[in-house]
Amino acid sequence: MKVAVIADVHANLVALEAVLVDAGRVDEVWSLGDAVGYGPDPNECISLLREVARLSIPGNHDYAAMGTISTDDFNSEARQAAEWTGTVLSEASRAYLASLPETIVEGPATLAHGSPRSPIWEYVLSVPQAEELFAHFQTQYCLIGHSHIPLAFALPMPGVAPPKPWPPPQEPLDLAGRRWLLNPGSVGQPRDGDRRAAYGILDTETASFVYRRVEYDIAETQQRMRRAGLPERLILRLDSGR
Ligand code: ZN
């Protein structure tokens, strides 16, 4: 089975549509949270995710927009975006987000927005931290988002820190024989210095994961953000992917 693994769409409908076109005829789409926050099209993104994503979990920005968690730990632009999102979110969108489980176990994969230990909040960025987390899920893979950085950690770990760029973009990462923590990167708000939308394709039959990057019409998303009155810094960072 081929699965498009998407995370951190952040209400960027133009990017989400481009990713779904690129993914083509995958068997399933799994969404790892933060459907909204930052971007201009929260309800449209949720409608599309409801249609295409068989599995879906919430992220901290989804909870912030719903008022489920406080935005005290957010920077001021993220807080402004969360407040704006909260004012435009439809009842149907709220009901959808409220219905999502924080983690899902599906065949060989566990899905968690942040980490399997702290699904809503924990950022997984270092090898020692990742090593601890393998005790917190039972499946062969754990799929995560939240950091907006495409990453792969394996157990047993490679003997050295992963060279850059790693994992290799666009070529299949062989998952066989090891356990993995995999982050496909962010669809709608990439933060690794590559402005293109990021997502991954998990193939459960060949045990491989492909990191993909997709061009989309950034100017269109930026225009919609300006129309919505979203903070300028969030608009500009789409240009750099940082
Ligand atoms: Zn996010």
Side-chain angles (χ1 to χ4, degrees), residues 102-103 112-123 133 136 146:
E102 287 190 4
T103 58
H113 176 65
S115 85
R117 175 165 60 190
S118 175
I120 298 300
W121 287 112
E122 185 174 12
Y123 288 93
L133 293 173
H136 292 262
H146 196 40

Side-chain angles (χ1 to χ4, degrees), residues 28-97:
E28 295 199 354
V29 177
W30 297 353
S31 170
L32 303 180
D34 279 4
V36 305
Y38 298 135
D41 299 310
N43 292 312
E44 294 77 1
C45 284
I46 288 175
S47 298
L48 186 49
L49 287 176
R50 289 179 82 145
E51 228 174 88
V52 300
R54 190 176 71 80
L55 302 182
S56 188
I57 55 174
N60 54 318
H61 285 261
D62 301 320
Y63 277 180
M66 292 156 67
T68 308
I69 56 168
S70 117
T71 53
D72 289 351
D73 289 338
F74 282 38
N75 65 42
S76 75
E77 287 96 2
R79 190 177 314 126
Q80 279 179 59
E83 282 164 6
W84 175 82
T85 305
T87 63
V88 299
L89 218 50
S90 68
E91 279 311 309
S93 296
R94 279 175 192 279
Y96 173 74
L97 292 175

